[in-house]
Amino acid sequence: MKERLTIALPKGRNFAQALRLWQLIGFDTREITDDTRRLIFEDPVHQVRFLILRPTDIPTYVEYGAADMGIVGKDILAEQDRDVYEPLDLRFGFCRLVVAQPADLTGREPVSGWSTMRVATKFPHLTEKYFVSTGRQVEIIKLYGSIELAPLVGLAERIVDLVETGKTLQENGLVEVEEILKVSARLVVNRASQKTKYERITAIIDALKEVI
Ligand code: PRP
């Protein structure tokens, strides 16, 4: 009898590709859809259960062992710095974390210097680390979404946000000025599970390597 594995799936833009990976390595995911209100699904044949989570909660579930493994973007992992094992770049969910600003300000240094610069972002830790590492002190304004709006209404002068196609920046008159991080989806594994369920987890990692 295999030990049961609990796998965390991210809601949202990486959901379909994450689900597809588990399907490709043979798990039964037929009942799982993104729009369901059900949050937990079982594949009893393979002794696996899937949790449907907000991406930002996945490192927490995996660190505490409530999930043995999960799929989550490198942006979230880098922002949260949770103690999880990260064995695999899954090679989807590509995007970049960038600094952007209104197109009509490009090429100009901030009028009153960087220390009064307000930067809006969902990623306060990465933003702080980046600006400190480049010798600039800025005021960070933490937001939860629609970041591109902030410079249009005077809440911030710049933003740090994810860019995939560039459409959101473009449609809001913003341009990328600096790149902070290249992002892709990663497999994360609970450190204790990696030891106690070593054979199962290693077999899964090997199977995932075959299909990515
Ligand atoms: C993300 C990100 C950007 C946008 C980038 O937002 O924060 O706003 O996608 O994608 P693009 O370059 O292809 O336009 P999301 O859709 O997750 O919504 P949110 O702004 O509410 O977080």
Side-chain angles (χ1 to χ4, degrees), residues 98-106 159 169-170 172-178:
V98 306
V99 184
Q101 67 181 45
D104 50 7
L105 291 182
T106 301
I159 62 167
L169 285 185
Q170 193 189 8
N172 291 290
L174 303 176
V175 290
E176 173 185 335
V177 285
E178 296 166 51

Short mmCIF file of all heavy atoms in Angstrom, two decimals, residues 98-106 159 169-170 172-178:
data_model
loop_
_atom_site.label_atom_id
_atom_site.label_comp_id
_atom_site.label_asym_id
_atom_site.label_seq_id
_atom_site.Cartn_x
_atom_site.Cartn_y
_atom_site.Cartn_z
N VAL A 98 9.15 43.18 -12.92
CA VAL A 98 9.85 44.36 -13.44
C VAL A 98 9.45 45.63 -12.67
O VAL A 98 8.42 45.67 -12.01
CB VAL A 98 9.55 44.59 -14.94
CG1 VAL A 98 9.85 43.34 -15.76
CG2 VAL A 98 8.12 45.06 -15.17
N VAL A 99 10.28 46.65 -12.84
CA VAL A 99 9.92 48.01 -12.41
C VAL A 99 9.33 48.70 -13.63
O VAL A 99 9.89 48.60 -14.73
CB VAL A 99 11.15 48.81 -11.94
CG1 VAL A 99 10.74 50.18 -11.41
CG2 VAL A 99 11.96 48.04 -10.90
N ALA A 100 8.19 49.36 -13.46
CA ALA A 100 7.59 50.09 -14.58
C ALA A 100 7.16 51.47 -14.11
O ALA A 100 6.98 51.72 -12.91
CB ALA A 100 6.39 49.32 -15.13
N GLN A 101 7.01 52.35 -15.09
CA GLN A 101 6.62 53.74 -14.77
C GLN A 101 5.86 54.33 -15.96
O GLN A 101 5.87 53.76 -17.06
CB GLN A 101 7.86 54.56 -14.47
CG GLN A 101 8.76 54.74 -15.69
CD GLN A 101 9.99 55.55 -15.34
OE1 GLN A 101 10.63 55.32 -14.32
NE2 GLN A 101 10.33 56.50 -16.19
N PRO A 102 5.19 55.45 -15.75
CA PRO A 102 4.46 56.07 -16.86
C PRO A 102 5.41 56.37 -18.03
O PRO A 102 6.53 56.86 -17.82
CB PRO A 102 3.91 57.36 -16.25
CG PRO A 102 3.77 57.04 -14.79
CD PRO A 102 4.95 56.16 -14.48
N ALA A 103 4.97 56.07 -19.25
CA ALA A 103 5.82 56.23 -20.43
C ALA A 103 6.33 57.66 -20.56
O ALA A 103 7.47 57.89 -20.95
CB ALA A 103 5.03 55.83 -21.67
N ASP A 104 5.52 58.64 -20.15
CA ASP A 104 5.94 60.03 -20.35
C ASP A 104 7.00 60.50 -19.35
O ASP A 104 7.52 61.60 -19.45
CB ASP A 104 4.72 60.97 -20.35
CG ASP A 104 3.82 60.74 -19.16
OD1 ASP A 104 4.21 59.96 -18.27
OD2 ASP A 104 2.73 61.34 -19.12
N LEU A 105 7.35 59.66 -18.37
CA LEU A 105 8.42 60.03 -17.42
C LEU A 105 9.74 59.35 -17.75
O LEU A 105 10.75 59.60 -17.11
CB LEU A 105 8.03 59.61 -16.00
CG LEU A 105 6.89 60.36 -15.33
CD1 LEU A 105 6.68 59.84 -13.92
CD2 LEU A 105 7.20 61.85 -15.29
N THR A 106 9.71 58.47 -18.76
CA THR A 106 10.90 57.66 -19.04
C THR A 106 12.10 58.52 -19.41
O THR A 106 11.99 59.47 -20.17
CB THR A 106 10.59 56.65 -20.15
OG1 THR A 106 9.52 55.86 -19.66
CG2 THR A 106 11.76 55.74 -20.42
N ILE A 159 5.84 51.21 -10.26
CA ILE A 159 5.31 49.95 -9.74
C ILE A 159 6.36 48.86 -9.91
O ILE A 159 7.26 48.98 -10.76
CB ILE A 159 4.01 49.50 -10.46
CG1 ILE A 159 4.26 49.24 -11.95
CG2 ILE A 159 2.90 50.52 -10.26
CD1 ILE A 159 3.10 48.50 -12.64
N LEU A 169 0.59 46.61 -19.03
CA LEU A 169 1.41 47.84 -18.98
C LEU A 169 1.02 48.77 -20.12
O LEU A 169 0.75 49.95 -19.92
CB LEU A 169 2.91 47.50 -19.11
CG LEU A 169 3.63 46.87 -17.92
CD1 LEU A 169 5.11 46.74 -18.25
CD2 LEU A 169 3.43 47.69 -16.66
N GLN A 170 1.00 48.20 -21.32
CA GLN A 170 0.75 49.01 -22.51
C GLN A 170 -0.62 49.71 -22.45
O GLN A 170 -0.73 50.90 -22.73
CB GLN A 170 0.82 48.12 -23.74
CG GLN A 170 0.89 48.91 -25.02
CD GLN A 170 0.74 48.02 -26.23
OE1 GLN A 170 0.43 46.83 -26.12
NE2 GLN A 170 0.94 48.58 -27.39
N ASN A 172 -2.18 50.69 -20.05
CA ASN A 172 -2.26 51.71 -19.01
C ASN A 172 -1.15 52.76 -19.13
O ASN A 172 -0.88 53.49 -18.17
CB ASN A 172 -2.24 51.03 -17.64
CG ASN A 172 -3.53 50.26 -17.40
OD1 ASN A 172 -4.61 50.85 -17.23
ND2 ASN A 172 -3.45 48.94 -17.45
N GLY A 173 -0.51 52.80 -20.30
CA GLY A 173 0.48 53.85 -20.58
C GLY A 173 1.75 53.74 -19.76
O GLY A 173 2.39 54.74 -19.46
N LEU A 174 2.11 52.52 -19.38
CA LEU A 174 3.32 52.32 -18.58
C LEU A 174 4.38 51.60 -19.40
O LEU A 174 4.05 50.87 -20.34
CB LEU A 174 3.00 51.47 -17.33
CG LEU A 174 1.90 51.99 -16.41
CD1 LEU A 174 1.63 51.00 -15.29
CD2 LEU A 174 2.28 53.34 -15.81
N VAL A 175 5.64 51.79 -19.03
CA VAL A 175 6.73 51.07 -19.70
C VAL A 175 7.65 50.44 -18.66
O VAL A 175 7.84 50.98 -17.56
CB VAL A 175 7.57 51.99 -20.63
CG1 VAL A 175 6.79 52.42 -21.84
CG2 VAL A 175 8.12 53.19 -19.87
N GLU A 176 8.19 49.30 -19.06
CA GLU A 176 9.16 48.60 -18.20
C GLU A 176 10.47 49.38 -18.21
O GLU A 176 10.93 49.78 -19.27
CB GLU A 176 9.37 47.20 -18.79
CG GLU A 176 10.45 46.44 -18.11
CD GLU A 176 10.72 45.10 -18.80
OE1 GLU A 176 9.82 44.55 -19.47
OE2 GLU A 176 11.85 44.63 -18.66
N VAL A 177 11.07 49.57 -17.02
CA VAL A 177 12.37 50.25 -16.98
C VAL A 177 13.50 49.39 -16.41
O VAL A 177 14.66 49.63 -16.71
CB VAL A 177 12.30 51.62 -16.27
CG1 VAL A 177 11.64 52.66 -17.15
CG2 VAL A 177 11.59 51.54 -14.93
N GLU A 178 13.17 48.41 -15.57
CA GLU A 178 14.22 47.53 -15.01
C GLU A 178 13.61 46.15 -14.80
O GLU A 178 12.45 46.03 -14.42
CB GLU A 178 14.71 48.06 -13.66
CG GLU A 178 15.39 49.42 -13.74
CD GLU A 178 15.56 50.08 -12.37
OE1 GLU A 178 16.09 49.44 -11.45
OE2 GLU A 178 15.16 51.25 -12.23
#
